[in-house]
Amino acid sequence: MTPGGPGPHPVLAQVVREDWGRLLGLLIRRHGRPDLAEDALAEALASAAEQWPRDGIPDNPQGWLTQVASRRLLDAIRREATAAGKAHLLAVPEEAPPRHTHGPGGTEDDRLPLLFMATHPALAPEVRPALALRFVLGVPTADIAALFLVPTTTMAARLTRAKQRLRAIGAGFRVPEEPDLGARVDDVARAIYLAFTAGYAPREGEAVVHVEATSEAVRLAHLTRELLPNTVVLPALCALLTLQHARRDARTDEQGGLVRLADQDRSLWRRDEIDAGLVLLQGLSPTKGYAEELRLQALVAAFHDSAATSAETDWAAIARTYARLERLTGSPIVRLNRAVAVAEVSGPMAGLRLLQAAADQLPGHHRIHVVRAGLLRREGDTEGARAAYDQALKTCPDGPERRHLLSRLGELPPA
């Protein structure tokens, strides 16, 4: 049984969802083996799924799982020692002395050092969000693989290598101390945002949005903010993710196709989440670094979410915000988005002039051609739009975005 699929037992399912990170963190804190602890906990869950329906729920389900998982982990360590011919290692203590795991606020929660371990700088940036989802929330490997568009076996191998890497370098199970904490928190925020954007921008496959996986990334962001309440970057991240995620039900049509923001049914947007995101955003002041980058992106999302209709969107404010974001990041993707906003304010040609700089930095990127096609179409240049769509289709991978482009191309009048 995997952590995401504990079977029909409701108590076990609840424990997995609410306590997976705590239980895994406790095992790693006690035994210091990130490469073995997860399998041991999964085996304990499998035993619970078999025994609890038959024998009844224990008085302390979490304690039962911890005890069984600890035994399984110690058995694995003994087997490993035997295989290596190190008989002197067989006398493994039942429980290693707890190590300091208090966060900056003095509150102990094993999920916090677990999160920092999953996003350790020694790991490749692309594996950190996957390991964070797995370690802290117990998201099944198959679901993470779907989120990042790789086979389950490939993702399982990546996660295994990451855990072995943590073991090899002796990664500490602790919250970083100042002055390292700020940079590490930014790394955590980047990892969570990468997990979120992977779900909202699938480049292949049938799904436009991997809703369950993106919801887990949002949950991880809010959990991290609760665990580290005195940061600036995490409230900005939560504001951005909450405001963007509130539109999830309107992003696809009845056939599962992509729906552009301008065409979305705004009655499907989740107003309670938008209100919560706006409250978070209103509590933020201009700052610097990655936190400001996220705050400005959240501000753009707020302008969209606050408009009753697409026509009422404050595009001038969005264009100004993108200009500030571009000065901060120098990102050609931001320039591309700014071109769209400027076109709404000053016309397609103004947008096309801005777009050229982004095109120079992103040669061959299909989104450049997509935006150019849309602006030329509004300008009345049908042939130019058709050529731009054709260019976009040459590099756009199979998936929902490509199908959407083919649909847009088919809407043009015949040549």
Side-chain angles (χ1 to χ4, degrees), residues 280-294:
L280 281 170
L281 181 60
Q282 289 163 3
L284 301 175
S285 300
T287 181
K288 58 184 179 180
Y290 190 53
E292 179 66 358
E293 182 179 336
L294 294 174

Side-chain angles (χ1 to χ4, degrees), residues 19-83:
D19 295 303
W20 168 266
R22 291 188 183 92
L23 296 174
L24 183 61
L26 176 60
L27 290 171
I28 295 176
R29 174 164 59 86
R30 286 180 175 179
H31 305 290
R33 292 299 300 266
D35 54 331
L36 299 178
E38 186 187 347
D39 288 343
L41 182 54
E43 290 175 14
L45 289 167
S47 296
E50 179 183 348
Q51 295 179 38
W52 291 7
R54 182 187 67 223
D55 303 335
I57 302 169
D59 294 336
N60 181 357
Q62 294 85 353
W64 189 97
L65 288 167
T66 301
Q67 185 178 37
V68 173
S70 289
R71 288 201 299 265
R72 299 295 175 88
L73 195 152
L74 293 170
D75 288 344
I77 293 174
R78 292 186 178 100
R79 288 194 300 271
E80 186 180 82
T82 299

